[in-house]
Amino acid sequence: MAVRRGAVRSVVVAGLLVLGLSGSAEARSGPEADVAYHGQMSLAQGQLRVWLVPQNEGPAALPNATLRLRLSAELADRQELAEGCARAGLREVVCETGELPLHGQGRHIGLLLELRERVPEVVVRIDTWWNGGAADRDLSNNQHVVLALDTGDAYAF
């Protein structure tokens, strides 16, 4: 799968800029949206499979957002990531959601992440890294912590 480097780079840079503005009036004056992530993951023989769908319950549409996956185990050096996704550290991956229409879904995101070492379990934290400065009053549906055991079983969130 090819990665659109320009698009991912702009999302990552925008995310860093927003993080710097998070306490300012500019960041709080954006639209209000309720971003949510639903999906499943499984761990088998050092490979973590993640499939998720970003959603927006409103009250405003968002042109784009960036979700972040943080793992308790290190990623292998080489990763073949889905389009719109980029590695953000030894244990982090960020992915753009695409447009999040009011009461609609963003693009489906599927990842096959290779771990540096085979581990019996991995904890994955999922959250919104950047949302264009939108206010999100319900973080319970876009912040997840999932424990996946190395059994190949799917864990839903």
Side-chain angles (χ1 to χ4, degrees):
M1 294 179 202
V3 175
R4 296 181 318 179
R5 295 194 195 306
V8 171
R9 190 176 309 120
S10 65
V11 170
V12 171
V13 169
L16 291 172
L17 292 173
V18 169
L19 286 175
L21 297 173
S22 63
S24 71
E26 288 178 67
R28 291 188 302 265
S29 65
E32 184 176 338
D34 183 14
V35 176
Y37 305 115
H38 302 287
Q40 62 183 17
M41 68 180 63
S42 64
L43 177 63
Q45 301 178 0
Q47 292 184 328
L48 180 68
R49 294 179 186 276
V50 180
W51 177 83
L52 62 86
V53 178
Q55 297 177 316
N56 178 14
E57 296 304 319
L62 292 176
N64 202 354
T66 306
L67 68 94
R68 173 176 57 177
L69 300 168
R70 294 179 288 162
L71 286 65
S72 63
E74 287 189 18
L75 294 163
D77 290 336
R78 297 184 55 86
Q79 298 290 325
E80 191 170 322
L81 298 173
E83 185 175 337
C85 295
R87 192 165 177 169
L90 293 174
R91 299 175 179 202
E92 292 185 33
V93 172
V94 294
C95 296
E96 61 183 354
T97 63
E99 182 180 353
L100 291 171
L102 177 62
H103 301 296
Q105 297 180 344
R107 67 185 189 89
H108 295 210
I109 299 170
L111 297 168
L112 177 59
L113 301 173
E114 298 283 342
L115 301 181
R116 180 176 300 278
E117 299 176 359
R118 187 171 174 179
V119 295
E121 64 185 35
V122 66
V123 175
V124 180
R125 297 178 189 284
I126 303 162
D127 62 5
T128 300
W129 193 49
W130 176 78
N131 66 3
D136 190 338
R137 296 178 193 208
D138 181 10
L139 300 179
S140 67
N141 55 7
N142 69 340
Q143 294 181 347
H144 303 284
V145 179
V146 182
L147 172 65
L149 303 177
D150 186 14
T151 60
D153 295 330
Y155 298 91
F157 57 92

